[in-house]
Amino acid sequence: MTVYWLVWDAAAAWIVDRMVAEGALPAVRALRDRGVTAAGRPPVPNCQTPPSLATLFTGRPAQEHGVTGFTVPDDAVAGGQLPAFSARFPHRPP
């Protein structure tokens, strides 16, 4: 089975619903008409994009995958920060 994810960063459900109702998103309407839909819920307490996507892609909470924001604290590098999607993150495979 192949799974395709359509991820809209910061696309509130009510906005997408309204746009579908107004006819602005025919492809989304076609997907919904075929039963392709799912509810989303951002992980808490941090709902920034990198930890949210890492949670979605790994199925694990931030405590396990290690992506906590746009940068991740790391004492082993100069400046003490790494990009969230550097080669060392996430700690769990997608």
Side-chain angles (χ1 to χ4, degrees):
M1 174 203 294
T2 301
V3 175
Y4 295 97
W5 287 348
L6 174 63
V7 177
W8 289 345
D9 190 17
W14 69 269
I15 294 172
V16 175
D17 292 343
R18 185 177 75 194
M19 292 178 74
V20 168
E22 293 171 352
L25 300 172
V28 173
R29 177 179 292 283
L31 288 169
R32 287 181 173 183
D33 289 348
R34 291 195 320 242
V36 179
T37 187
R41 184 177 61 182
V44 293
N46 184 345
C47 62
Q48 291 179 339
T49 301
S52 296
L53 290 178
T55 296
L56 180 64
F57 297 157
T58 65
R60 303 287 186 200
Q63 297 87 336
E64 290 184 30
H65 60 62
V67 179
T68 57
F70 286 94
T71 59
V72 179
D74 191 328
D75 295 334
V77 297
Q81 298 284 315
L82 281 176
F85 290 109
S86 68
R88 294 182 34 209
F89 292 98
H91 293 311
R92 298 283 190 256

